[in-house]
């Protein structure tokens, strides 16, 4: 029997799959918005993990980067510390109705142009709504659990006789008081990487439409004062809506039977001389608006105990996913 096992083991040879890895695609990330600048364009390239010589050459340095507006301004971006990150001037600011085109000339002479992107207006935001409920999830130990909290929605006004698209990102902040020998106060800021992409249809009136955003799990300790929810909305063109929808589907789908299949995510940036070259990323222009909703203990129907079980300094309070902790009050905490 032992001889048979040794014989079988001796017949197994490693198989080196003969594939050609495509690499060195230009990756463009950046946007013009109605928020204050400067704005940032980041240029990187994908890397070939089997080629040790260029495995770490990710930043595209020493490029010439410029943005041309439909009103005739040419804004030349400056690179800082040869980092592959390029900045506009402080006085350059996006305007609704203006069109923007990005031009990139790499150090090796390759030239790229983006589509001309119009900065569209973001519809008015009526309010942020909350509804108490529960959501099931799977723990790190693969146990099925349930968390109570709030489903957070946005009520956004549809534009009269005009359809459109927007993207929403959110974060929330809460205060914690520790109760040890040296009590301390800290603020926990949670900024999930997940986002929402939405479309709205033209209507005959400026009615508000409800858009589900995210579920906020809640514990009593989070109500030492309040939970401050901030949602930021960005208007999108059809092209950028399709881009962010594709990124979302590729990143967050769980591989279910009815999930859309992974697809190539198109860019709106192209090589001027080689139209077939693959470019990744997106250059966009957005009208940006934010809204804040404070949630208090009285909004939570469960019994609330705001005392922290942590008898230690704030900076040792257990971090949530994508969170930061500080013992310095945020400048906008009471806004």
């Amino acid at each position: 029997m032992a001889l048979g096992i040794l014989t079988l083991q001796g017949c197994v040879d490693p198989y080196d799959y003969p594939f050609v890895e495509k690499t060195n695609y230009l990756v463009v990330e950046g946007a013009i918005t109605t928020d204050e600048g400067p704005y940032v364009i980041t240029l990187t390239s994908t890397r070939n993990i089997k080629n040790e010589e260029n495995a770490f050459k990710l930043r595209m340095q020493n490029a010439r980067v410029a943005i041309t507006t439909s009103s005739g301004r040419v804004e030349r971006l400056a690179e800082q510390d040869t980092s592959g990150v390029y900045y506009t001037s402080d006085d350059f600011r996006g305007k609704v109705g203006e069109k923007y085109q990005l031009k990139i000339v790499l150090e090796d002479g390759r030239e790229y142009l983006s589509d001309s992107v119009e900065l569209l207006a973001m519809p008015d935001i009526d309010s942020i709504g909350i509804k108490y409920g529960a959501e099931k999830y799977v723990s790190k130990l693969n146990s099925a659990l349930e968390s109570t909290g709030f489903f957070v929605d946005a009520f956004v006004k549809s534009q009269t006789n005009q359809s459109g698209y927007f993207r929403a990102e959110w974060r929330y902040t809460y205060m914690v008081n520790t109760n040890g020998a040296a009590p301390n106060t800290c603020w926990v800021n949670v900024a999930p990487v997940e986002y929402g992409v939405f479309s709205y249809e033209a209507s005959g009136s400026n009615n508000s439409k409800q858009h589900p955003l995210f579920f906020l799990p809640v514990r009593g300790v989070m109500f030492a004062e309040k939970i401050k929810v901030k949602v930021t909305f960005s208007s999108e063109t059809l092209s950028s809506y399709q881009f962010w929808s594709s990124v979302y589907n590729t990143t967050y789908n769980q591989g279910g039977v009815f999930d859309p299949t992974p697809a190539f995510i198109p860019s709106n940036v192209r090589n001027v001389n080689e139209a077939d070259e693959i470019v990744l990323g997106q250059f966009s222009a957005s009208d940006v608006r934010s809204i804040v909703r404070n949630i208090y203990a009285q909004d939570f129907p469960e019994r609330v105990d705001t005392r922290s079980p942590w008898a230690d300094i704030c900076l040792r309070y257990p971090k949530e996913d994508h969170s930061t902790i500080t013992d310095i009050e945020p400048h906008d905490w009471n806004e």
Side-chain angles (χ1 to χ4, degrees):
M1 184 68 177
L3 179 60
I5 294 174
L6 290 173
T7 302
L8 289 173
Q9 289 177 338
C11 293
V12 178
D13 294 321
Y15 178 65
D16 187 9
Y17 181 75
F19 72 96
V20 177
E21 183 184 8
K22 295 184 180 296
T23 186
N24 295 334
Y25 295 143
L26 175 65
V27 183
V28 180
E29 301 172 85
I32 303 301
T33 75
T34 50
D35 272 348
E36 293 184 1
Y39 311 116
V40 174
I41 303 294
T42 302
L43 303 180
T44 56
S45 68
T46 59
R47 66 177 181 178
N48 187 329
I49 60 175
K50 297 191 71 175
N51 187 337
E52 295 181 359
E53 292 183 359
N54 73 350
F56 299 101
K57 294 180 180 178
L58 296 178
R59 299 288 185 176
M60 302 301 287
Q61 303 170 351
N62 303 318
R64 300 196 303 275
V65 181
I67 296 171
T68 303
T69 74
S70 55
S71 60
R73 176 171 176 173
V74 178
E75 174 71 10
R76 291 178 173 81
L77 284 70
E79 183 181 17
Q80 293 189 4
D81 303 323
T82 60
S83 61
V85 182
Y86 302 81
Y87 294 82
T88 66
S89 56
D90 292 340
D91 67 341
F92 186 66
R93 189 164 186 172
K95 297 179 181 179
V96 171
E98 191 91 75
K99 292 183 179 180
Y100 301 87
Q101 186 173 40
L102 176 67
K103 180 178 180 179
I104 302 166
V105 181
L106 298 181
E107 190 174 20
D108 61 9
R110 286 181 290 164
E111 185 175 332
Y112 300 82
L113 277 177
S114 75
D115 295 339
S116 181
V117 180
E118 183 177 358
L119 198 158
L120 302 174
M122 177 66 205
D124 291 334
I125 309 160
D126 266 354
S127 60
I128 295 297
I130 58 173
K131 181 180 179 181
Y132 172 78
E135 185 174 76
K136 294 182 179 180
Y137 67 97
V138 178
S139 72
K140 294 180 180 179
L141 299 177
N142 208 31
S143 300
L145 301 174
E146 186 176 82
S147 179
T148 58
F150 296 99
F151 292 95
V152 181
D153 301 328
F155 291 85
V156 179
K157 283 189 176 180
S158 299
Q159 299 278 45
T160 304
N161 300 321
Q162 183 178 349
S163 59
Y165 312 91
F166 66 90
R167 182 162 53 99
E169 300 175 293
W170 46 83
R171 65 177 175 88
Y172 57 91
T173 306
Y174 59 92
M175 188 177 77
V176 173
N177 291 320
T178 60
N179 58 8
N184 199 207
T185 298
C186 63
W187 287 264
V188 183
N189 184 65
V190 185
V193 294
E194 193 171 0
Y195 58 88
V197 189
F198 306 93
S199 63
Y200 55 91
E201 300 298 329
S203 65
S205 61
N206 286 332
N207 294 327
S208 292
K209 182 180 178 181
Q210 184 176 3
H211 298 274
L213 296 180
F214 69 105
F215 178 75
L216 197 167
V218 170
R219 305 181 307 278
V221 67
M222 299 168 69
F223 287 117
E225 184 173 329
K226 63 187 177 185
I227 304 172
K228 181 179 181 178
V229 178
K230 183 175 183 180
V231 183
T232 300
F233 300 86
S234 305
S235 64
E236 303 291 344
T237 62
L238 174 59
S239 173
S240 59
Y241 168 79
Q242 293 171 334
F243 173 83
W244 289 113
S245 295
S246 297
V247 171
Y248 185 93
N249 290 333
T250 301
T251 305
Y252 297 110
N253 282 330
Q254 301 299 312
V257 175
F258 300 105
D259 285 348
T261 56
F264 172 72
I265 303 173
S267 174
N268 63 348
V269 181
R270 297 171 182 83
N271 187 313
V272 171
N273 299 311
E274 296 182 28
D276 293 335
E277 179 184 333
I278 293 176
V279 180
L280 305 177
Q282 186 85 352
F283 171 68
S284 59
S286 298
D287 183 17
V288 175
R289 302 188 185 187
S290 297
I291 189 170
V292 170
R293 168 70 188 261
N294 291 326
I295 305 176
Y296 299 94
Q298 55 265 34
D299 299 315
F300 196 53
E302 297 182 25
R303 181 179 178 182
V304 173
D305 183 356
T306 63
R307 294 175 299 175
S308 170
W310 303 99
D312 209 334
I313 61 173
C314 278
L315 299 183
R316 293 182 184 175
Y317 181 79
K319 285 187 178 180
E320 301 180 40
D321 289 343
H322 313 294
S323 69
T324 57
I325 301 174
T326 178
D327 55 1
I328 301 174
E329 180 176 318
H331 66 89
D332 61 348
W333 177 244
N334 292 312
E335 291 181 2

